[in-house]
Amino acid sequence: ESAGSMTVEPTLNGPAFQFPMQGSRSKGIRNMQIFCFDMMLMHLCAKRGFGPGFLVHDSHLFDGVDGRQVISAMKVGAETAETLGFQYIVTMNEDDAFKEKIEGFDVKRHVLPVVLTDAKDDGGLFGFRF
């Protein structure tokens, strides 16, 4: 609802990207800035015909984010992935994924029947336990 901006400044460790905007001290707003930055990178990669062809976001990206913004971000992610032809993967606890609804978007349509669990010794991802 409010405009943001982007500044790039040189540092000894490379460029520093800043996205100053009202309320940017909030963890949720910072996380949504990361989401937008990632989507912008995927857009650039798709336009130039390179990149991994997928984007993965863990539920930590949505920590501190209002549920309505989470479902909106998931909708934007799904639509962007479909438009640009990449795979958008979100790992999220099932009870968090279905809290909110948004008109015209059914998150259940995008859920894959893959369950990651640490309940048993053979749980994990790609053979790694977390």
Side-chain angles (χ1 to χ4, degrees), residues 9-81:
E9 296 184 18
T11 70
L12 294 175
N13 294 325
F17 299 93
Q18 295 181 2
F19 306 91
M21 62 189 301
Q22 185 177 2
S24 63
R25 290 187 179 141
S26 156
K27 181 181 180 187
I29 289 176
R30 282 194 313 268
N31 287 358
M32 287 299 92
Q33 288 174 327
I34 292 168
F35 172 85
C36 292
F37 186 78
D38 289 350
M39 287 295 159
M40 185 249 337
L41 288 177
M42 291 306 294
H43 190 272
L44 290 174
C45 287
K47 247 181 127 171
R48 291 182 169 101
F50 68 87
F54 65 91
L55 174 62
V56 180
H57 281 150
D58 183 67
S59 61
H60 291 294
L61 182 70
F62 302 106
D63 285 348
V65 177
D66 179 78
R68 294 169 297 181
Q69 290 176 324
V70 172
I71 194 71
S72 292
M74 292 173 70
K75 179 181 180 192
V76 166
E79 290 172 349
T80 304

Side-chain angles (χ1 to χ4, degrees), residues 95-116:
D95 55 339
D96 291 331
F98 305 115
K99 281 183 180 175
E100 297 286 337
K101 297 191 181 330
I102 190 170
E103 191 173 327
F105 180 68
D106 181 9
V107 73
K108 290 180 183 177
R109 188 174 80 81
H110 299 277
V111 175
L112 299 177
V114 176
V115 177
L116 305 177

